[in-house]
Structures are given as structure tokens and as C-alpha cells.
Amino acid sequence: SYVLTQPPSVSVAPGQTATITCGGNNIANKSVHWYQQKPGQAPVLVIYDDNDRPSGIPERFSGSNSGNTATLTTIRVEAGDEADYYCQVWESSSDQPVFGGGTKLTVL
Amino acid sequence: EVQLLESGGGLVQPGGSLRLSCAASGFTFSSYEMNWVRQAPGKGLEWVSYITGSPTSVRYADSVKGRFTISRDNAKNSLYLQMNSLRAEDTGVYFCVRTSITLSWLPFDLWGQGTLVTVSS
């Protein structure tokens, strides 16, 4: 099965840029979605199809996808961005979605 | 308001059964593929199952295949998950999740608040 690898944690100071990676074999050939989950809440879609933002998601969030790594970038990080972030792709061989293990973003 | 509301979670003994429900509102339920995604305590997200809108097709994660059954009643705008032969590792929050029909590559665009299932003796 297809495996997505994320760093367990990322820390960043307020106002700085946070980068969260999602590694997978030739992930550039897939469409990557990103979800934000704050403590005690349901996940929320923040990026879809590598770099598109749903309505209501700030422009501070962006994504990219190349080679074996997809990346979620958050500029001008705020305290309210502190959350767990998950990448997700659709695995065509098994016809089912796959999630990365999640990354906890800490705002120092 | 567009929302999903799960119910039916609780404490059940290993080997027992539980039926989760999800009530949808604010959108044309029958037009959407629906999913169950779970999250063990302190762990990440795990997709469990999906069902097409018709519903003509279902699919399950290997971890629940043969034990869980997904179904829906479009007349009642409801999604269900029948869970049998429950194990301790099935413990977690179960989310009802909608697959987008408007966003490219069909991400999960609406999540319920989740219902907690605890499998323990």
C-alpha cells in the first residue's frame, strides 16, 4: 500500500513561515490534499489538489508538490494556526484514500 | 446549515456490536459519496469505508473488512456504519465525512464532529 510520511512535529515562531512535508513515492503524480485539525475538533480542508484553497481559507496557506515530496507552507504564522496537519492522497491501485501520519505544528 | 451529525457511539465489550448513524442536512445528500474516517486516541486519521451516492458501490479498509458494513438511506439523509466483532483497536472517534463533488480530485470537504467508540471489557 502507498505510504505517506510526515514529520511528527514542526515548531515556528509567530510571524515566521512554517513548512510541513509529506513524502511518498512519486507523489508528484498524485493530487495531494491537506487538512488542519485543532484540538478537540474535526479536521478542516485547507488545501486541495496540491495548491488550491477552499473558500474561506486564508491566502497564507499554500501547497506544492514535486518529485517525492508535497509541502504545505504557512506564511506569517499565527497562534491560531497551531494544530495537527494531515496530507491525503487517493491510492488508485487499491481505490481508497490514504492519510499521512500527521504533523503537530507548534507556534512558539 | 450544511452539517453532519454523528450518533451511536459508546462503550462496548470486545466481540460486541454497535451501529453508528450520521444525519446530514443543508445539502442534497444523495448526490454525494460518503465516508467514515476514524481516529484512535492520540493517533492520526484512518479511512474506514465509503459508499457512493446511489448507492451502487462500497469499499472498506482491510482492517475492518468483513466486520463493518456501511449503508445509507437517502430518503432519510442518513449514513450508517454497522460494526460487528469489535476489537480494542477499533476504539476511537468516528467521523462522518463527505467527499466533494465540486473540488478537483475529490477531497473530503465536510466533516462531522465525531462520535466516540470505546471497546473495552
Side-chain angles (χ1 to χ4, degrees):
Chain A
S1 62
Y2 193 76
V3 176
L4 295 174
T5 302
Q6 298 182 237
S9 63
V10 167
S11 298
V12 63
Q16 298 304 304
T17 298
T19 300
I20 298 174
T21 59
C22 175
N25 187 36
N26 291 322
I27 197 172
N29 294 333
K30 300 182 181 296
S31 175
V32 180
H33 312 310
W34 291 90
Y35 303 88
Q36 175 195 67
Q37 185 181 31
K38 296 182 179 180
Q41 297 184 20
V44 172
L45 178 69
V46 293
I47 291 290
Y48 67 95
D49 193 12
D50 296 340
N51 191 25
D52 287 326
R53 280 176 291 103
S55 174
I57 300 301
E59 294 183 1
R60 298 185 298 104
F61 290 89
S62 65
S64 63
N65 188 6
S66 177
N68 294 317
T69 304
T71 302
L72 173 69
T73 301
T74 309
I75 63 173
R76 301 190 301 275
V77 167
E78 303 172 354
D81 298 330
E82 189 162 280
D84 294 326
Y85 291 84
Y86 296 90
C87 58
Q88 179 249 315
V89 301
W90 189 270
E91 184 183 17
S92 54
S93 61
S94 60
D95 193 24
Q96 64 185 37
V98 176
F99 288 98
T103 298
K104 180 176 180 58
L105 175 64
T106 299
V107 182
L108 301 171
Chain B
E1 181 184 3
V2 176
Q3 65 177 3
L4 300 169
L5 187 61
E6 303 93 335
S7 60
L11 175 64
V12 61
Q13 292 187 338
S17 298
L18 210 56
R19 189 194 196 207
L20 305 183
S21 299
C22 171
S25 58
F27 62 96
T28 306
F29 179 70
S30 60
S31 297
Y32 290 82
E33 181 178 297
M34 297 297 297
N35 306 262
W36 289 99
V37 174
R38 70 184 179 183
Q39 186 170 36
K43 302 298 184 181
L45 302 172
E46 179 190 15
W47 172 81
V48 172
S49 180
Y50 78 65
I51 185 168
T52 54
S54 305
T56 55
S57 179
V58 299
R59 193 166 291 275
Y60 302 94
D62 288 343
S63 57
V64 306
K65 199 173 297 182
R67 300 187 299 122
F68 290 11
T69 301
I70 191 171
S71 62
R72 65 192 296 163
D73 185 336
N74 288 338
K76 295 182 177 180
N77 291 332
S78 293
L79 177 73
Y80 306 101
L81 186 68
Q82 177 66 43
M83 304 185 296
N84 298 330
S85 302
L86 283 162
R87 307 165 180 169
E89 54 264 36
D90 295 318
T91 294
V93 175
Y94 284 70
F95 296 100
C96 172
V97 183
R98 186 181 79 175
T99 300
S100 174
I101 59 173
T102 56
L103 303 179
S104 54
W105 289 98
L106 312 181
F108 298 141
D109 68 348
L110 181 66
W111 297 64
Q113 89 291 345
T115 187
L116 177 62
V117 173
T118 303
V119 184
S120 176
S121 54

